[in-house]
Amino acid sequence: MFAEYNYDNFPVIFVNFSESIDSENDFDQFLNEWLLLYHNREDFSFIFDTRNMKNISLKYAIKMALFIRSLRKEDYHYLQKSLILVNDKHIKRLLDLVFTLQSPVAPVYLWQNDNDDKNDNDDKNDNDDKNDNISLIETLNSINRLDLRDNMIYIKPNRSIIPFL
């Protein structure tokens, strides 16, 4: 499975991504679960963990930009903000492309850490993961565009560089 949604800390939802997308259907399931959150009509925030991602095709960046464009048509945006964890330069460039083609519907904080490879931490236990999640939730709840962490970028919503998209 490409994306695993974790609702344990709702309204903060963790989305952990695998290394690659196995099929078109895999990516569509990721988008459909996101749409279900809109149909629930409750505010939420995302913490996207892309640190396992490595081999993602350019076509999925374009599909993501088109998905964001379709979300823009919603009357109300239940997504309040997102924190994206990234440690791969290729994935960072794909995210840059997505947000150049289509700005997000809510504030996005892209946090790059070139040294933090999740795969190097296979011996971590569940307590470590819970503490990491608590720390990430605190970061998500406390950050704003004027108070960013090191290696963090703020991506402003509703500001497409290419206005006709």
Side-chain angles (χ1 to χ4, degrees), residues 58-162:
L58 177 65
K59 76 176 181 179
Y60 293 110
I62 294 167
K63 282 187 77 166
M64 190 69 223
L66 292 171
F67 175 75
I68 293 169
R69 181 178 178 212
S70 72
L71 279 182
R72 195 166 297 298
K73 296 174 185 172
E74 296 288 328
D75 293 331
Y76 179 81
H77 296 289
Y78 295 97
L79 177 59
Q80 300 302 298
K81 63 179 160 179
S82 298
L83 175 63
I84 303 175
L85 308 172
V86 62
N87 65 348
D88 184 273
K89 287 177 178 33
H90 172 70
I91 300 302
K92 167 75 168 62
R93 283 192 293 273
L94 285 176
L95 290 166
D96 289 343
L97 174 65
V98 167
F99 295 125
T100 297
L101 293 174
Q102 187 63 63
S103 68
V105 296
V108 170
Y109 300 91
L110 196 140
W111 201 359
Q112 185 167 359
N113 186 341
D114 295 328
N115 300 323
D116 191 12
D117 188 350
K118 272 186 85 175
N119 292 325
D120 290 343
N121 298 323
D122 289 338
D123 57 346
K124 287 176 68 173
N125 63 36
D126 286 343
N127 263 354
D128 291 339
D129 286 341
K130 287 177 186 172
N131 289 337
D132 288 348
N133 287 356
I134 290 168
S135 175
L136 289 169
I137 291 169
E138 289 171 354
T139 299
L140 177 71
N141 290 334
S142 66
I143 54 176
N144 62 63
R145 65 187 180 95
L146 301 175
D147 183 26
L148 300 176
R149 305 296 187 273
D150 288 343
N151 299 319
M152 188 178 281
I153 301 167
Y154 170 71
I155 303 169
K156 188 174 185 174
N158 303 318
R159 274 291 186 81
S160 289
I161 293 175
I162 304 173

